[in-house]
Amino acid sequence: MDKTSAKKSTENKQAHLPVMGVGPMCVAVMVAFTAIGIALVKFGALAGGNVSGMPAAVLFTIAGILCISGGIALWCAAVFGARIDAKIKSNRLATDGVYALVRNPIYSAFLFICTGTLLFCRNRYLLILPPLLWLYLTVFMKLTEEKWLSKRFGDEYSEYCKRVNRFIPWKRSGVNL
């Protein structure tokens, strides 16, 4: 191995993903679209999609509470329980705890919280946003963090991806949600 190859190999082993990474930007976009959706409902721009009637309103509210509660629990498990910052700094792939259930629990948490918040608006038109946010997250992760993790951890990361879903907390072999 020549000096250049040895240097690149050493740099690759020492380099690690920034603790904050691309996350804040990604989450900011999701929160912004959620806020825009809420504003459109509050200012009457999406009045045709408003849900009326007790059963539907109660269903939207209960679903919103469940999504927000689940998102908060997932976020707490990822941030406080998994100590992801220590794993990133020591160049270890997090695959235990909440990371055994979902590869991106922090992003998933914000997806659930944004979805729950949108459900509180009780507007059918806003139901298009959660799938769009999920699609955005999927593309964003594939182009950023997943590319880096695949390059950094190789087969270990590939095997992890086969076992654990991207955003939906659930172990399923071969499914990549």
Side-chain angles (χ1 to χ4, degrees), residues 159-165 171-177:
E159 289 303 313
Y160 174 59
C161 290
K162 290 177 186 175
R163 292 188 320 268
V164 180
N165 290 331
K171 276 190 177 183
R172 278 171 94 169
S173 180
V175 175
N176 220 359
L177 297 175

Side-chain angles (χ1 to χ4, degrees), residues 24-115:
M25 181 181 69
C26 183
V27 169
V29 169
M30 290 186 349
V31 170
F33 275 98
T34 300
I36 290 167
I38 292 168
L40 289 172
V41 170
K42 295 300 176 194
F43 292 116
L46 302 176
N50 289 340
V51 173
S52 58
M54 187 59 96
V58 169
L59 184 63
F60 269 68
T61 301
I62 291 171
I65 291 168
L66 291 173
C67 283
I68 291 171
S69 300
I72 291 170
L74 191 58
W75 185 85
C76 287
V79 172
F80 301 119
R83 298 290 307 155
I84 188 64
D85 57 334
K87 289 181 180 156
I88 291 171
K89 288 176 184 174
S90 64
N91 279 323
R92 289 181 294 148
L93 184 62
T95 61
D96 57 347
V98 72
Y99 285 86
L101 299 174
V102 62
R103 294 195 317 257
N104 299 286
I106 296 172
Y107 298 121
S108 298
F110 278 99
L111 180 60
F112 287 127
I113 291 167
C114 289
T115 298

Side-chain angles (χ1 to χ4, degrees), residues 145-171:
E145 289 183 10
E146 287 184 8
K147 188 183 277 188
W148 188 90
L149 290 168
S150 182
K151 185 185 269 186
R152 175 69 180 95
F153 294 105
D155 290 340
E156 180 185 6
Y157 184 69
S158 294
E159 289 303 313
Y160 174 59
C161 290
K162 290 177 186 175
R163 292 188 320 268
V164 180
N165 290 331
R166 182 178 287 116
F167 297 117
I168 308 300
W170 187 349
K171 276 190 177 183

